[in-house]
Amino acid sequence: MACPRVAVDLGTGYAQIAVLGEDGRPRILRNRWGSLQTPSYVAYSEQEGWLAGEEACRKVSPDSGRSWRDVKRHLGKDWTVEIEGEHYRPEELLVPLLELLREDMEAELQSFVSSCVLTVPAHFSFPERAAMVRAARRSGFDTVRIVNEPTAAAIAVGQEGRFLILDFGAGTLDVSVVEQEDNVWQVVETQGYSNIGGNDLDLLIARWLALRLGDEELSEEGARRMTLLAEAERLKRALTESGSVTWYPPRGLLAGVEPAEALEVTRREMEERVAEPVRRIVRLAGRFWRRYRPDRLILVGGSSRLPLLRRMLEAEVAPPEHAGFCPDEAVVTGAALIAGDAGRHVLLDVLARDLGIETVDGTVATLLEKGTPLPASSVRSFRPSGRGVVTVPVVQGASVEQWKRTRIGAVRFEPGSVDEVDVRFSVDSGGVLTVEALVAENTLVHQVLDLPGVDEEEDARQQIEEIKMRLARISPWMGEGQQQMLDELFGLYQLAQADWRKRPEALRLLGEMTERLEGAVRR
């Protein structure tokens, strides 16, 4: 019997596995504990070695320094942990978890499993994608296909048209526009944040709970922090369904006070604490909605249940539609359809940013443009400026203004006495960039480079342009005092242009002041 091809949704909080059943319907598989979700925990025990899933949660204390729940957020970054003198990278920590998932698949299916469709956030950078593939292969998957989570969710919807998919999970956020026609799914554009997820909302709520208990700030580590984070997640889930709950703080949270007094916690109080990141999500979704005018707004991911998010989207963007499936299961369901369809679903992803080479005079020669369907390849010829070692800077964002582009790496080679060198960029469908330098089709260097995926600068520029348009619409009705406030807004705009490191705070103030002006004009 042929080995089945399975789907793996390795979420920041929980992982799910699925397969396409004989009836053509996706089937989510249970793990060894009988659950449809496996905690994305990895831990190390001196007695038992590496543990994952439920065992990692139960057998190793979260504050031991040997238990990790958000490894996925560290992929592709310079981050390691030390265990008994050995340093482990994030993809190495994910291996025990992926091995556990593969073993559970084999036990459930009674068959060896060596091929999988593995979903990742659409905004995942090229280093993160490459690290995920390495982890999967080390876990026993010989063949790994990477698919963007919003694309998998759109396939799960199964209807033709243009969709705005908002995927809000535990660790990341993706906003993507996906089109479907005749079983061809095409990603039109996608953006996202790696620092906005359900876990980040939990942290804001945990800090607030610490204040309620008399602490000025939440400690950076330790058992108390882990307990408060767990309580914050539990309260967030409860307040998704109820307007208020009574919170009984666990023993030990207040030194010298046993037990702590019960506290009434309301949904409104919680929403005040998480309003700012939710507002950023809604602004991003609104820009995509106005730009592409999609047919439907679909929410997926466990954090998308947040009532505040749904209310703000309905008021400022569009009413979220019921997709007909559990938000937590949309991604793995679509991935299972891709894994078992024998090529019936055609997926077309696109390059998120321009790619090019920075020349000696500071300009950029673009080789691959934003929006190019993947896989893609392009070759340009260049004359080396010298006979020694030549460095070719590879940049993302072919802009005249240098602050709007990002240098993502460099290729070094020695051209010898030749007058011309061909430089080839190739990006495969899984999101890996290869840069080659060739002379008369002989390869001088073949180097795989990693591209960053989250583009905060592009997002900031789009926010500024949107604010300028909003101000232009209301300026004819503004009085002298309001015009003065407008001048202050443009001063902030210049600040954001001059020092991009201050842009997040400047943009927040710009947005708030623009809303005040719009409100005053409407009155």
Side-chain angles (χ1 to χ4, degrees):
M1 184 176 70
C3 295
R5 195 179 189 191
V6 298
V8 180
D9 176 18
L10 189 62
T12 306
Y14 294 91
Q16 290 185 304
I17 51 180
V19 68
L20 197 66
E22 295 181 358
D23 58 357
R25 298 168 64 90
R27 179 165 66 95
I28 300 176
L29 305 178
R30 295 188 180 275
N31 60 26
R32 63 192 65 187
W33 300 282
S35 175
L36 297 176
Q37 292 184 325
T38 300
S40 296
Y41 270 81
V42 180
Y44 183 82
S45 165
E46 292 183 357
Q47 293 76 30
E48 301 182 61
W50 289 102
L51 302 170
E54 294 282 355
E55 288 185 339
C57 296
R58 296 173 181 176
K59 294 185 176 181
V60 181
S61 173
D63 66 322
S64 65
R66 296 193 170 190
S67 176
W68 304 272
R69 66 177 295 217
D70 56 354
V71 176
K72 181 179 174 182
R73 302 184 82 170
H74 297 288
L75 283 171
K77 299 177 176 62
D78 185 17
W79 180 88
T80 61
V81 300
E82 184 177 354
I83 299 293
E84 297 183 352
E86 295 288 334
H87 289 270
Y88 294 88
R89 298 188 304 274
E91 60 262 37
E92 294 174 307
L93 294 183
L94 285 181
V95 171
L97 178 58
L98 285 166
E99 286 180 338
L100 179 144
L101 295 174
R102 183 177 55 80
E103 291 169 2
D104 286 348
M105 297 174 198
E106 293 178 340
E108 183 80 3
L109 299 173
Q110 294 295 296
S111 174
F112 288 110
V113 172
S114 60
S115 177
C116 74
V117 170
L118 186 59
T119 63
V120 299
H123 74 270
F124 238 29
S125 69
F126 283 73
E128 291 164 318
R129 292 168 187 264
M132 188 70 87
V133 171
R134 289 195 297 269
R137 287 178 176 162
R138 291 188 59 176
S139 305
F141 294 102
D142 297 328
T143 305
V144 182
R145 181 180 180 182
I146 295 292
V147 174
N148 287 335
E149 291 170 3
T151 308
I155 290 175
V157 173
Q159 299 180 19
E160 292 195 352
R162 176 178 285 187
F163 305 97
L164 178 62
I165 307 290
L166 193 154
D167 185 358
F168 189 23
T172 58
L173 168 87
D174 278 321
V175 177
S176 304
V177 175
V178 182
E179 289 184 343
Q180 196 271 106
E181 184 178 359
D182 296 331
N183 277 338
V184 176
W185 275 259
Q186 180 171 0
V187 179
V188 180
E189 186 177 355
T190 186
Q191 285 191 37
Y193 299 111
S194 61
N195 60 350
I196 298 183
N199 291 349
D200 301 284
L201 304 189
D202 296 342
L203 180 58
L204 294 174
I205 298 169
R207 286 172 176 164
W208 171 58
L209 294 178
L211 288 172
R212 292 286 298 267
L213 294 175
D215 269 7
E216 289 300 319
E217 60 184 56
L218 184 66
S219 61
E220 290 299 320
E221 57 185 20
R224 191 166 187 273
R225 174 188 174 88
M226 300 305 298
T227 301
L228 276 173
L229 285 172
E231 290 295 296
E233 182 182 12
R234 187 178 65 82
L235 286 173
K236 181 184 68 178
R237 291 173 179 264
L239 291 170
T240 297
E241 305 296 333
S242 304
S244 65
V245 296
T246 302
W247 180 47
Y248 298 92
R251 290 179 176 273
L253 283 180
L254 284 176
V257 180
E258 297 291 347
E261 294 183 3
L263 299 173
E264 191 72 14
V265 182
T266 67
R267 178 188 292 176
R268 181 177 178 180
E269 290 175 312
M270 179 195 72
E271 290 179 345
E272 289 175 353
R273 270 68 198 174
V274 302
E276 181 55 34
V278 172
R279 195 172 289 116
R280 288 180 65 192
I281 296 170
V282 173
R283 283 200 296 261
L284 180 58
R287 289 200 299 274
F288 271 56
W289 187 267
R290 290 186 291 272
R291 185 181 306 160
Y292 294 105
R293 297 297 176 186
D295 304 316
R296 303 173 64 185
L297 169 60
I298 304 295
L299 304 187
V300 299
S303 299
S304 68
R305 292 186 175 90
L306 199 68
L308 176 63
L309 174 63
R310 291 177 174 264
R311 291 201 312 270
M312 291 181 67
L313 286 171
E314 185 166 2
E316 302 179 29
V317 183
E321 294 193 23
H322 182 63
F325 44 69
C326 174
D328 304 71
E329 299 174 357
V331 171
V332 76
T333 297
L337 288 168
I338 298 169
D341 72 352
R344 288 191 297 272
H345 295 90
V346 179
L347 310 182
L348 300 177
D349 212 333
V350 296
L351 195 64
R353 298 282 282 131
D354 294 334
L355 288 175
I357 293 173
E358 192 173 77
T359 59
V360 176
D361 60 2
T363 60
V364 173
T366 302
L367 273 77
L368 290 171
E369 295 184 351
K370 175 183 177 180
T372 301
L374 299 180
S377 180
S378 180
V379 178
R380 289 285 296 271
S381 297
F382 294 90
R383 292 182 177 275
S385 57
R387 301 303 180 192
V389 175
V390 175
T391 300
V392 178
V394 180
V395 297
Q396 176 177 267
S399 173
V400 176
E401 300 174 78
Q402 292 192 9
W403 71 274
K404 292 184 180 180
R405 64 175 88 133
T406 304
R407 182 176 292 192
I408 58 175
V411 175
R412 294 176 176 83
F413 59 92
E414 194 166 352
S417 59
V418 300
D419 295 325
E420 194 170 75
V421 175
D422 291 335
V423 177
R424 175 185 293 152
F425 279 20
S426 301
V427 181
D428 66 17
S429 59
V432 177
L433 168 66
T434 302
V435 180
E436 295 177 294
L438 308 101
V439 175
E441 298 187 354
N442 293 318
T443 303
L444 297 178
V445 64
H446 177 99
Q447 185 170 335
V448 178
L449 292 183
D450 293 325
L451 289 169
V454 181
D455 196 347
E456 300 285 354
E457 292 184 0
E458 176 66 18
D459 180 51
R461 288 194 296 274
Q462 291 180 0
Q463 289 187 53
I464 291 173
E465 291 303 316
E466 179 185 350
I467 288 172
K468 291 170 68 178
M469 290 176 61
R470 290 163 61 187
L471 290 172
R473 284 196 294 266
I474 64 174
S475 59
W477 293 273
M478 293 170 57
E480 183 176 348
Q482 293 168 337
Q483 188 65 50
Q484 183 177 355
M485 189 177 291
L486 176 62
D487 293 338
E488 294 176 5
L489 281 172
F490 277 105
L492 284 173
Y493 170 69
Q494 293 300 325
L495 172 64
Q497 288 284 75
D499 190 348
W500 59 268
R501 291 167 296 184
K502 298 179 180 178
R503 190 177 300 120
E505 179 65 15
L507 283 173
R508 185 185 66 80
L509 294 174
L510 279 165
E512 290 180 357
M513 294 176 71
T514 302
E515 289 178 8
R516 288 170 55 192
L517 281 172
E518 290 175 327
V521 168
R522 282 194 293 268
R523 288 195 295 270

